[in-house]
Amino acid sequence: MLNNKKILITGIANKFSIANGIAQSMSKNGAELAFAYQNERLLKKIKPIADDLGVKTLIECDVACDKSIEQTFSQLKDEWGTLDGIVHSIGFAPSDQLDGDFTEVTTREGFQIAHDISSYSFTALAKGALPILSDKAALLTLTYLGSIQSLPNYNVMGLAKASLEANTRFLAASLGKKGIRVNAISAGPIKTLAASGVKNFRSMLKEYADRAPLGRAVTIEEVGNVATFLCSDLASGITGEITYVDAGFNTSAMSLIPSKE
Ligand code: NAD
Ligand code: 0WE
């Protein structure tokens, strides 16, 4: 599905990362990959994954830093010349922002960091890559239902994801004339590093599985396969779209637990 496509994957922290599920699926489907990692601490986790998939290009890229983004695409230009896709699988808010009542815990600085790292960085990567993006290139990001519905503790990340989804539509409108598509996957909750610090994540997963039509959570493999499709030419008519990979959770208003009577 992705033969002869060169795709940059961001956001792999370890084997549990959604970006790793995407890398596995894209590699299996013929893509040639490069990995961008946040800092050298993560290199020892990423190297074995890269070696396993035959990925030779590993680039340090902190999306908080313009220079770092610039260097990333200058290196890709030298190694590849052109680029057919980018997977943006990055989200962050300071941990104090994600623990407690929204009105009480949200600060100007926390708000700014969440929006900068979780939404602006998608625009920044698109801008940085534009000179080397091929026509028919595809950009993809990862979002969550907290963008359109509130839930405890997700707080300012919900606002940042709302911004990221609008970002997806405005980038799609801006880059469509060049043939470049921009989409998002809204994934159900998955136990990754970013979810591991979250209070009551296990009970959230349980409630989630109960209400989802499929009666279970989704896996990084399932998200990866939809990512492969959206970045392939099979999805050539899809842009600006948010595709839910959530076992149907967002389509269900209530679960029916068998009563004891
Ligand atoms: P993860 O912790 O494996 O991945 C998050 C990644 O963001 C890490 O690799 C981290 O290095 C990277 N990152 C953070 N700040 C960065 C910076 N300044 N520069 C570069 N990279 C930076 O967790 P994940 O769950 O795989 O998260 C990936 C994406 O999926 C995020 O956007 C997250 O919001 C989204 N998402 C996660 C879930 C879930 O339940 N796990 C559900 C829906 C959407
Ligand atoms: O988008 C996410 C994860 C977002 C996230 C998580 C952390 C934890 C560690 C962003 N920044 C940080 N910063 C840290 O310091 N998800 C969709 C997973 C997630 O996170 C939640 C959730 C769900 C679901 C936080 C609270 C409530 C639900």
Side-chain angles (χ1 to χ4, degrees):
M1 231 187 288
L2 295 175
N3 286 337
N4 303 315
K5 287 198 191 283
K6 301 187 285 288
I7 297 176
L8 172 68
I9 302 209
T10 68
I12 305 181
N14 56 39
K15 66 177 179 178
F16 303 108
S17 295
I18 293 175
N20 181 42
I22 296 173
Q24 300 296 324
S25 175
M26 288 187 163
S27 179
K28 195 162 82 182
N29 284 283
E32 187 179 348
L33 303 177
F35 293 168
Y37 58 97
Q38 184 182 358
N39 54 51
E40 66 173 59
R41 241 178 341 103
L42 295 175
L43 194 54
K44 64 175 186 295
K45 298 274 186 190
I46 288 180
K47 192 69 171 62
I49 297 172
D51 289 345
D52 188 48
L53 298 180
V55 172
K56 285 180 227 76
T57 309
L58 299 176
I59 310 173
E60 185 172 328
C61 179
D62 181 343
V63 296
C65 172
D66 286 333
K67 189 96 198 164
S68 182
I69 293 172
E70 195 186 301
Q71 281 164 358
T72 298
F73 294 110
S74 134
Q75 185 174 335
L76 280 175
K77 186 183 177 172
D78 291 344
E79 291 192 24
W80 278 353
T82 62
L83 186 61
D84 303 299
I86 302 176
V87 175
H88 173 273
S89 187
I90 292 169
F92 179 79
S95 57
D96 63 291
Q97 300 294 291
L98 303 179
D99 183 11
D101 181 81
F102 174 71
T103 315
E104 281 167 23
V105 303
T106 307
T107 63
R108 189 185 298 275
E109 193 192 6
F111 183 106
Q112 180 260 313
I113 293 171
H115 283 72
D116 183 28
I117 304 302
S118 310
S119 180
Y120 174 70
S121 66
F122 193 37
T123 317
L125 289 180
K127 281 171 83 102
L130 194 55
I132 61 166
L133 282 178
S134 60
D135 40 318
K136 298 205 308 188
L139 311 187
L140 182 72
T141 188
L142 274 299
T143 184
Y144 178 62
L145 185 63
S147 61
I148 57 169
Q149 293 177 14
S150 68
L151 70 155
N153 297 322
Y154 200 63
N155 296 350
V156 76
M157 273 306 295
L159 285 66
K161 290 303 194 189
S163 165
L164 179 67
E165 291 176 17
N167 203 337
T168 301
R169 291 183 286 271
F170 275 83
L171 283 173
S174 165
L175 303 178
K177 54 187 171 295
K178 298 192 166 69
I180 298 165
R181 298 180 299 105
V182 188
N183 289 293
I185 289 175
S186 185
I190 300 175
K191 187 124 186 72
T192 61
L193 185 63
S196 67
V198 175
K199 260 202 286 183
N200 300 321
F201 197 78
R202 273 171 63 99
S203 48
M204 282 182 43
L205 272 179
K206 166 86 170 66
E207 184 182 331
Y208 182 85
D210 285 342
R211 205 177 101 185
L214 292 180
R216 59 170 178 82
V218 290
T219 64
I220 62 170
E221 289 77 17
E222 290 176 309
V223 175
N225 287 335
V226 176
T228 291
F229 163 69
L230 287 172
C231 291
S232 79
D233 295 340
L234 289 180
S236 58
I238 302 178
T239 195
E241 199 71 61
I242 316 295
T243 300
Y244 283 78
V245 182
D246 69 344
F249 181 88
N250 81 97
T251 69
S252 161
M254 216 180 286
S255 63
L256 192 55
I257 297 160
S259 81
K260 294 199 180 81
E261 284 116 78

